[in-house]
């Protein structure tokens, strides 16, 4: 996540003319929608918050910082939660046009927003209740879910190559979008002209009876391709599927990791018990959102109490045996 965010810092130059800017680095056709209005606000809010959050996340998982610099750990955690929640708002503002804005893309994005927001809120609630083991679990879930954006890009690119070879697959784009993409493409080459290319490829768009913003043209998905709209079509067709698959992978992955590290969870549960005892909380060890409070799990007992009960039982058995011997 740190490396991905670092590589994307150049996108903070949202509308610049540099090749590294978001306007020139986004999927073909996306800047047509993002350049103005609510979408411009949304993409700016998203990039300006999620990229710094991605750079800050790694410091939360360095043990020496958690133990030696607790104040930094707390403030950094608050910053990550706030930035991520603001980023989710930005995502919801742009999802209608993100990679074509298909239904599967909108639903997958909505599910990911719900997962990350819920996880962060539960992590915050549990740390306020000093339930450190559950705070760890929910923060790990949130970080895993946010990492979906990296995995989905790998799946998306692979899928774009596959559907190009196994196609044809088609999607639609408006004449206005296609014209905008060809204008951007031709502006980088002083010797080419937009009109002849657009006329030869899509004569429907040059008809006098055509409304460029409402007329949809079928575009074949092809990656790579000399025509930018075909690249955008292949990425748009793959994005929604890739997000669903990546989300599933990360959902399973984080639960597997938590299941493989029960010792750390038990250690933090004991720490939670001790700190809740110091604060005088009711039912220490279970003050946060634990499975015993909301489900039918066995009641958790602290390690020292369990050891004490064993010793009492052993003493009682010893007395019983001695009395029987008499």
């Amino acid at each position: 996540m740190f490396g991905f965010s670092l590589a994307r810092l150049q996108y903070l130059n949202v509308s610049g003319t540099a090749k590294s800017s978001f306007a020139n680095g986004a999927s073909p056709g996306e800047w047509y929608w993002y350049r103005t209005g609510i979408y411009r606000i949304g993409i700016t809010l998203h990039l300006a918050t999620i990229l710094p959050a991605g750079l800050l996340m790694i410091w939360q998982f360095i043990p020496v910082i958690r133990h030696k610099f607790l104040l930094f750990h707390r403030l950094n955690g608050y910053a990550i939660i706030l930035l991520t929640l603001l980023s989710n708002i930005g995502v919801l503002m742009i999802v209608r046009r993100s990679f074509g804005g298909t239904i599967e893309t909108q639903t997958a994005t909505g599910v990911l927003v719900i997962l990350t927001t819920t996880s962060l809120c539960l992590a915050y609630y549990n740390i306020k209740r000093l339930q450190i083991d559950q705070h760890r679990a929910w923060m790990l879930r949130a970080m895993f879910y946010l990492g979906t954006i990296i995995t989905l890009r790998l799946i998306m690119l692979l899928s774009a190559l596959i559907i190009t070879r196994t196609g044809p697959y088609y999607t639609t784009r408006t004449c206005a979008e296609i014209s905008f993409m060809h204008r951007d493409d031709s502006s980088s080459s002083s010797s080419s002209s937009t009109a002849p290319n657009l006329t030869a490829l899509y004569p429907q768009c040059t008809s006098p009876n055509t409304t460029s913003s409402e007329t949809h043209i079928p575009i074949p998905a092809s990656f790579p391709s000399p025509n930018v709209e075909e690249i955008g079509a292949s990425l748009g067709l793959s994005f929604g599927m890739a997000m669903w698959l990546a989300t599933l992978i990360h959902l399973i992955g984080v639960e597997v990791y938590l299941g493989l590290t029960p010792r750390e969870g038990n250690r933090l549960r004991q720490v939670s018990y001790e700190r809740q005892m110091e604060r005088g909380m009711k039912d220490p060890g279970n003050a946060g959102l634990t499975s015993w409070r909301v489900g039918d799990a066995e009641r958790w007992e602290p390690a020292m109490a369990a050891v004490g009960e064993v010793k009492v039982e052993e003493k009682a058995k010893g007395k019983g045996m001695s009395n029987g011997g008499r």
Side-chain angles (χ1 to χ4, degrees):
M1 179 64 75
F2 181 84
F4 181 81
S5 300
L6 195 62
R8 289 293 188 273
L9 276 182
Q10 58 195 5
Y11 281 0
L12 291 177
N13 179 13
V14 179
S15 60
T17 57
K19 289 185 177 181
S20 60
S21 68
F22 176 81
N24 290 316
S27 177
E30 287 208 306
W31 187 242
Y32 170 79
W33 299 104
Y34 292 162
R35 60 200 168 109
T36 59
I38 191 70
Y39 301 118
R40 175 65 178 274
I41 298 172
I43 191 62
T44 303
L45 177 62
H46 174 60
L47 293 174
T49 52
I50 197 59
L51 292 177
L55 296 176
L56 295 175
M57 288 174 190
I58 187 175
W59 309 111
Q60 294 300 93
F61 298 96
I62 298 177
V64 67
I65 291 180
R66 294 201 307 269
H67 299 147
K68 300 290 186 179
F69 304 97
L70 186 57
L71 179 60
F72 173 81
H73 179 76
R74 290 174 178 172
L75 295 177
N76 193 48
Y78 292 144
I80 291 171
I81 291 174
L82 178 61
L83 289 171
T84 304
L85 294 179
L86 289 174
S87 170
N88 283 346
I89 295 174
V91 167
L92 294 177
M93 294 169 68
I94 65 173
V95 66
R96 175 62 184 88
R97 300 299 180 185
S98 181
F99 286 91
T102 59
I103 295 299
E104 61 267 26
T105 294
Q106 293 185 57
T107 52
T109 302
V111 168
L112 192 58
V113 166
I114 292 171
L115 287 173
T116 54
T117 302
T118 302
S119 298
L120 290 171
C121 290
L122 290 176
Y124 178 81
Y125 170 79
N126 277 290
I127 199 59
K128 286 300 181 182
R129 299 292 297 170
L130 298 179
Q131 198 69 47
I132 303 171
D133 57 312
Q134 289 300 311
H135 170 72
R136 166 185 175 263
W138 285 108
M139 282 302 290
L140 281 171
R141 289 185 177 105
M143 298 305 106
F144 266 72
Y145 300 154
L146 289 169
T148 295
I149 198 67
I150 301 173
T151 306
L152 83 83
R153 274 168 166 71
L154 300 176
I155 299 173
M156 178 179 66
L157 292 175
L158 182 60
S159 174
L161 292 171
I162 292 173
I163 65 175
T164 299
R165 294 180 65 89
T166 60
Y169 288 86
Y170 288 85
T171 187
T172 62
R173 294 291 184 267
T174 65
C175 288
E177 290 178 81
I178 298 171
S179 178
F180 183 83
M181 285 186 274
H182 275 261
R183 184 188 66 183
D184 284 353
D185 186 51
S186 65
S187 64
S188 62
S189 176
S190 58
S191 61
S192 61
S193 176
T194 302
N197 290 335
L198 190 60
T199 302
L201 291 171
Y202 310 105
Q204 309 96 311
C205 293
T206 59
S207 171
N209 297 323
T210 296
T211 303
S212 62
S213 61
E214 296 180 359
T215 303
H216 285 74
I217 305 298
I219 307 293
S222 180
F223 182 84
S225 171
N227 298 322
V228 291
E229 68 275 13
E230 295 180 0
I231 297 175
S234 63
L235 296 178
L237 282 172
S238 303
F239 185 83
M241 176 277 299
M243 177 171 276
W244 276 115
L245 184 55
T247 301
L248 178 62
I249 292 172
H250 284 247
L251 273 168
I252 296 173
V254 68
E255 298 306 325
V256 169
Y257 177 79
L258 290 172
L260 292 175
T261 55
R263 185 175 297 178
E264 179 65 8
N266 292 333
R267 184 187 72 82
L268 292 176
R269 187 72 175 270
Q270 182 68 26
V271 174
S272 301
Y273 168 78
E274 295 170 359
R275 295 191 179 180
Q276 290 167 13
M277 280 282 290
E278 293 175 358
R279 291 283 186 90
M281 289 184 173
K282 183 181 179 181
D283 196 13
N286 294 290
L289 192 64
T290 62
S291 58
W292 177 79
R293 290 185 61 187
V294 298
D296 62 350
E298 294 291 336
R299 181 182 178 84
W300 180 86
E301 297 293 343
M304 294 303 296
V307 172
E309 289 177 1
V310 170
K311 290 181 177 180
V312 169
E313 290 178 1
E314 289 177 350
K315 288 181 179 180
K317 288 181 181 179
K319 289 182 178 180
M321 292 177 64
S322 62
N323 292 333
R326 292 176 184 175

